[in-house]
């Protein structure tokens, strides 16, 4: 049984407006269990056409360090990281080639 996305119309509209605008970073915050992940997933699905470079979901549940975060983002983008080059520069290059891209980083609160 698949349930539709119900409620949160105001929040959904605001997130979509910001994603379709010129913002570069959007953070959804709230206590655990309020539906941040579900809202992010729904909005990412709805605005795919806005991001010709693609929409990528980066699950960070088991990630605990900044380096691990970069490795996870690179893996999702299918970017092979070379140890002699900064990971951030390699990921930025991949994103630059792709064009306007949406990265949804889910569950990043435990990363210092």
């Amino acid at each position: 049984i698949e349930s539709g996305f119900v409620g949160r119309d105001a929040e959904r509209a605001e997130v979509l407006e910001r994603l379709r605008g010129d913002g570069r970073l959007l953070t959804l915050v709230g206590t655990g269990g309020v539906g941040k992940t579900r809202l992010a997933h729904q909005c990412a699905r709805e605005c795919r056409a806005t991001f010709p470079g693609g929409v990528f979901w980066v699950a960070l549940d088991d990630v605990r360090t900044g380096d691990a975060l970069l490795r996870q983002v690179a893996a999702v983008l299918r970017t092979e990281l070379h140890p002699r080059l900064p990971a951030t520069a390699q990921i930025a290059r991949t994103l630059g080639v792709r064009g306007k891209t949406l990265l949804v980083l889910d569950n990043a609160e435990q990363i210092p």
Side-chain angles (χ1 to χ4, degrees):
I1 298 174
E2 183 178 331
S3 64
F5 189 74
V6 178
R8 309 283 297 266
D9 291 334
E11 294 91 342
R12 188 178 128 270
E14 183 176 355
V15 169
L16 288 171
E17 179 182 337
R18 291 173 185 252
L19 288 175
R20 291 176 177 145
D22 60 358
R24 297 179 60 110
L25 176 67
L26 176 63
T27 303
L28 302 180
V29 296
T31 58
V34 298
K36 298 176 300 290
T37 295
R38 187 152 168 87
L39 177 62
H41 190 265
Q42 178 67 29
C43 291
R45 238 190 348 232
E46 286 186 43
C47 69
R48 275 186 274 193
T50 304
F51 298 94
V55 173
F56 298 89
W57 191 270
V58 184
L60 300 173
D61 303 28
D62 298 326
V63 173
R64 298 289 182 259
T65 67
D67 287 339
L69 180 144
L70 293 172
R71 287 192 303 274
Q72 185 73 359
V73 169
V76 168
L77 293 173
R78 295 189 177 159
T79 299
E80 184 177 337
L81 294 178
H82 301 284
R84 294 185 184 187
L85 301 172
T88 52
Q90 294 175 75
I91 291 168
R93 182 166 188 248
T94 296
L95 293 171
V97 170
R98 287 184 179 278
K100 190 173 180 182
T101 303
L102 175 63
L103 292 178
V104 180
L105 306 178
D106 188 41
N107 291 317
E109 63 271 3
Q110 74 283 354
I111 304 169

